[in-house]
Each structure stands twice: as structure tokens, then as C-alpha cells.
Amino acid sequence: MNTAAKSFALVTGASRGIGAAIAKRLAKDGHHVFINYASNEAKAAQIRDAIVSAGGTAELCHFDVSNSAQVDEKLDWIHKSFGPLSVLVNNAGITIDSLLLRLKDDDLRRTLAVDLEGAIYCTRAAAKQMMRARQGSIIQISSVIGESGNAGQSGYAAAKAGLIGFSKSIAKELGSRQVRVNVVTPGFIETDMTGALTESQKEAILQTIPLGYLGAADDVSSLVAFLASGASRYITGQVIGVNGGMYM
Ligand code: NAP
């Protein structure tokens, strides 16, 4: 595979849902994409095969974002074997919903470890490469829940809101090296994560969305593609919603 003169993009949690759509879109835009996943190797391989069949280049990159040693090792491997990352999309995420009084310590720790610490570990490792190269775009996939809050999702909201504060801070740290950091906050997007909702829950959510329908993964991937591109070169430290108007 000829990866010379390619731009390298890592998308975490790219085996399914929003991450898979982002990986496909970045590959279509000419990036060599590293498809990270936690356990679903078969699905990640399907995404890679779809990218290659469409004329793009990609490869699998297995690690648990919540394990900082694994993150450092894999990002170091990318840097040494290919070159510095130009794009990092921190998309991997989980939600373990519970009302506060029933919130279990382990569930809270796991949510913060994957959704917040995982994004911080990946950002730290990628920033090292990008700062030296004096270029890069880091895109965090947070959530409308981190902006508006939601009963029953306090742990998830804490992680996703934390990601916003973290990203604004590092946008200030990394800006002088031309490394941009932006946050995308999707609303309700149809994926496995929202597939668990009942019809009546979906109906209730639809009432809160001015555009009147749930979003698709490509509604998010098209914004990510813009933020990854030079067309957004003067945009950093921003939080941009893709939510059909449900939070303004
Ligand atoms: P999804 O369909 O459940 O997919 C989650 C992805 O994250 C999978 O690829 C999964 O890999 C990966 N992942 C989970 N834990 C990981 C870990 N420890 N290390 C590496 N990868 C891990 O989720 P989605 O709906 O596409 O959501 C993607 C992101 O968008 C999440 O951050 C989510 O919070 C955010 N978001 C989603 C919505 C929505 O409505 N769907 C709304 C707002 C924000 P495996 O396949 O290997 O398990």
C-alpha cells in the first residue's frame, strides 16, 4: 500500500456508528485512516474493506482508549511506521445510564475512563507528534448531553462536558503550533447507541427536535471532514452542534 505523501488520520471507535462514517468520509477525502476499535474486529475489518473497495487506504488499529500505555504504544507505532498524525478524531464512547442515586462506582469510573480519560490520552499522544510537525486537527466527539444535561445520564454528561473544558484549554496551549482543537456535539443520531431506545422514548425525543427527525452518522461526518480540512484553518476552540436544533 502506498502511503507516501498521505495525511494520516486516526479515528477512535471507528468499527461502528458515527466513527465508521467518519473513517469512510476521511478516507474518501484522501486521508490514510487508522480504524481504532475495542473488541469488534470483524466490524472494523468490514469498514476497512469498504474503504479499500472505494479506492481509499486504511488499516486496523486495536487498542482500548482508556489504557494510556496502549494508547502511547499505538500512536508511537503510527508515528514511527508512517509519520505524524494530521488528524485525530476522539469518537470512542460508551454510555451507562442510571439515575444518580443508583449510579454505581464502577459504571461511573468506566464512563469517565472511556469517554473523557480516553480522549485525553489520545490527544496527549497525538499532540506530541502534531506540535513537532506544526500542524494538526483534533476533533472531539462530545454530545448535546454535555451541553444541556439529561436526567439519567449524569455520568455521561460529566464526561462529555469535561471534554469541552479540556478541549478549550488545549486549543489555547496548542494554537501557536498550528494545532487546532474543536468539539462536535451530536444530538440524537441513529446508531447502536441510540438503537436501545424504545419507540416511545424516540417519540418523546422527536418532540424536542425542531427539524423533526433523528440525525444520521453522515450528518456528523460531514462536519468532521470540514474541521479536518484546511477549509477550517481559522477555527479552533469551538463547540459545534449537529442536533437538528434540539439545543441552541
Ligand atoms: P456506538 O455505535 O456504540 O459505537 C461506539 C464505538 O466506540 C465502537 O466502535 C466501539 O468499538 C468503540 N469503543 C467503545 N469503547 C472503546 C474503548 N474503550 N476503546 C476503543 N474503542 C471503544 O456509538 P455511536 O453512537 O457511534 O457514538 C460515537 C460517539 O458519538 C460516542 O462518543 C458517543 O458518545 C457520541 N455521541 C453519540 C450520539 C448518538 O446519538 N449516537 C449522540 C451524541 C454523541 P467496538 O465496536 O470494538 O466495541
Side-chain angles (χ1 to χ4, degrees):
M1 178 186 315
N2 181 13
T3 57
K6 280 248 176 190
S7 144
F8 300 109
L10 168 62
V11 184
T12 68
S15 49
R16 295 182 275 130
I18 294 171
I22 293 170
K24 287 181 181 167
R25 174 60 197 266
L26 292 180
K28 194 173 163 206
D29 290 353
H31 300 273
H32 180 77
V33 178
F34 295 91
I35 300 169
N36 164 255
Y37 62 97
S39 56
N40 231 319
E41 180 158 354
K43 288 220 165 168
Q46 280 175 13
I47 303 306
R48 178 201 53 206
D49 295 348
I51 287 174
V52 172
S53 317
T57 63
E59 58 206 272
L60 304 190
C61 190
H62 175 239
F63 62 87
D64 176 348
V65 296
S66 70
N67 182 323
S68 70
Q70 284 183 22
V71 169
D72 287 346
E73 189 192 318
K74 282 293 160 127
L75 272 83
D76 201 40
W77 166 76
I78 291 174
H79 192 193
K80 289 194 173 123
S81 312
F82 297 87
L85 283 169
S86 295
V87 178
L88 167 67
V89 185
N90 280 312
N91 165 82
I94 57 168
T95 177
I96 308 174
D97 297 348
S98 163
L99 293 170
L100 177 64
L101 298 191
R102 294 193 197 133
L103 184 57
K104 295 192 177 75
D105 291 1
D106 282 350
D107 291 346
L108 174 62
R109 282 196 200 103
R110 188 69 195 145
T111 304
L112 293 172
V114 175
D115 294 4
L116 180 57
E117 289 174 23
I120 294 175
Y121 297 147
C122 293
T123 300
R124 184 176 61 193
K128 242 188 253 170
Q129 309 176 10
M130 292 176 172
M131 286 170 80
R132 235 178 276 148
R134 295 190 180 271
Q135 56 85 32
S137 175
I138 298 171
I139 299 148
Q140 318 283 16
I141 307 299
S142 173
S143 169
V144 67
I145 304 303
E147 300 175 296
S148 65
N150 195 26
Q153 290 198 296
S154 55
Y156 180 73
K160 294 298 190 178
L163 198 47
I164 294 173
F166 166 71
S167 301
K168 290 184 176 181
S169 302
I170 56 160
K172 291 184 176 180
E173 280 186 33
L174 307 183
S176 64
R177 308 292 180 97
Q178 305 310 312
V179 178
R180 299 182 296 111
V181 186
N182 290 292
V183 184
V184 173
T185 52
F188 280 83
I189 308 294
E190 290 201 90
T191 66
D192 291 350
M193 192 178 267
T194 43
L197 295 171
T198 63
E199 277 313 309
S200 64
Q201 284 172 318
K202 276 192 188 171
E203 217 24 71
I205 290 165
L206 282 176
Q207 301 303 319
T208 68
I209 302 175
L211 289 182
Y213 57 90
L214 299 184
D218 277 338
D219 293 319
V220 180
S221 70
S222 49
L223 174 59
V224 170
F226 168 68
L227 291 172
S229 77
S232 60
R233 66 173 204 152
Y234 205 51
I235 300 178
T236 194
Q238 302 305 306
V239 180
I240 307 175
V242 183
N243 61 29
M246 79 181 285
Y247 179 83
M248 299 180 186

